[in-house]
Amino acid sequence: QVQLVESGGGLVQAGGSLRLSCAASGTIFGINDMGWYRQAPGRQRELVATITSSSSTNYADSVKGRCTIDRVNAKNTVYLQMDSLKPEDTAVYYCNAEIQYRPSLWSQYWGRGTQVTVSS
C-alpha cells in the first residue's frame, strides 16, 4: 500500500524558513508529478508548487521567489523550502503525487498534512 508522509512543519516567526519533506513508501513502480498544496482555516485547498519527474516546476504566484520545490527520485521524496515566511502562509500543507502502484495502473495520493504556523 502506498503512503505519503510529510514532515518538517512547525511554528516559525515571520521572515523565517521551513523545509518540508514528503516521502512516498510502499509498492511503487514509478512517480510522475509531485506537489505541495495547502489549506488554511475556512479556505479551499490551493496549489503551492508542483514538480514533474524531469524536475520542471510550477509555483503559485503567492509563493514565487520565496519557495523552492525539489525532489530526489531515488528516495521517492519531494521537498519544499519556504523562506521569508508570512503569517498568511499559515496552513496545513499536503503532499500529493501521481504514483504507479501496479504495472500500468496509476493513482493520485495525498499525505495527511503537516501544520505550518507563522507568527507575526
Side-chain angles (χ1 to χ4, degrees), residues 2 5 12 14-15 18 22-23 25 29-30 32 37 41 56 63 81 92 107 109-110:
V2 174
V5 178
V12 64
L18 284 174
C22 171
S25 63
F29 290 83
N32 278 343
Y37 294 73
S56 294
V63 304
Q81 176 68 38
V92 177
S107 185
Y109 290 87
W110 291 89

Side-chain angles (χ1 to χ4, degrees), residues 93-106:
Y93 284 70
Y94 296 91
C95 176
N96 172 269
E98 184 182 20
I99 295 175
Q100 185 181 14
Y101 63 98
R102 291 184 183 176
S104 302
L105 293 178
W106 295 80

Side-chain angles (χ1 to χ4, degrees), residues 51-100:
I51 184 168
T52 69
S53 56
S54 58
S55 294
S56 294
T57 58
N58 178 56
Y59 296 93
D61 288 343
S62 59
V63 304
K64 277 181 182 176
R66 300 189 298 117
C67 291
T68 302
I69 188 170
D70 64 292
R71 62 191 284 175
V72 177
N73 291 331
K75 295 184 178 181
N76 293 334
T77 299
V78 62
Y79 304 93
L80 184 69
Q81 176 68 38
M82 303 189 293
D83 300 314
S84 302
L85 283 162
K86 305 175 181 180
E88 50 264 45
D89 293 318
T90 295
V92 177
Y93 284 70
Y94 296 91
C95 176
N96 172 269
E98 184 182 20
I99 295 175
Q100 185 181 14

